[in-house]
């Protein structure tokens, strides 16, 4: 294997180990996290304990009606896509 091929192989192998994947980074057209959190609070969440971009949407955990919940929110509108009790 020549030097160029070795370098390309090394770069390709290390690329997956450097930094978060693009699926875990908010897109340029996503609603800012603070605005999504405001929408969640308006929808009844009294606290949000975890919040992150993951797999193309916002997701996290919080308390709603006294119950710890997991939720997914639309990245562009902040609308709740799904929520369920965190068991």
């Amino acid at each position: 294997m020549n030097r160029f091929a070795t370098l390309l192989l090394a770069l390709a192998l290390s690329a997956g180990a450097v930094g978060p994947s693009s699926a875990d980074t908010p897109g340029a057209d996503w609603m800012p996290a603070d605005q999504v959190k405001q929408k969640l609070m308006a929808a009844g969440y009294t606290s949000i304990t975890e919040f992150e971009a993951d797999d193309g949407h916002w997701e996290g955990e919080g308390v709603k009606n006294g119950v710890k919940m997991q939720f997914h929110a639309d990245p562009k509108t902040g609308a709740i896509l799904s929520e369920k009790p965190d068991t």
Side-chain angles (χ1 to χ4, degrees), residues 14-38:
S14 67
V18 177
S21 70
S22 61
D24 296 333
T25 303
D29 59 345
W30 283 31
M31 179 179 279
D34 288 343
Q35 289 181 10
V36 177
K37 289 177 184 179
Q38 288 175 356

Side-chain angles (χ1 to χ4, degrees), residues 9 23 36 42 46 52 59 80:
L9 179 60
V36 177
T46 55
E52 66 183 355
E59 75 174 41
I80 296 171

Side-chain angles (χ1 to χ4, degrees), residues 1-14:
M1 190 178 297
N2 66 36
R3 283 184 177 160
F4 182 71
T6 302
L7 177 63
L8 285 177
L9 179 60
L11 287 172
L13 291 174
S14 67

Side-chain angles (χ1 to χ4, degrees), residues 35-87:
Q35 289 181 10
V36 177
K37 289 177 184 179
Q38 288 175 356
K39 289 190 122 190
L40 290 163
M41 299 299 267
Y45 281 85
T46 55
S47 70
I48 298 170
T49 56
E50 292 186 30
F51 190 82
E52 66 183 355
D54 189 45
D55 295 332
H57 57 263
W58 290 114
E59 75 174 41
E61 296 177 358
V63 177
K64 183 176 183 180
N65 299 325
V67 177
K68 187 173 180 183
M69 304 285 285
Q70 293 180 344
F71 60 81
H72 292 150
D74 185 273
K76 296 180 182 179
T77 67
I80 296 171
L81 299 173
S82 66
E83 57 187 352
K84 64 180 183 178
D86 184 23
T87 55

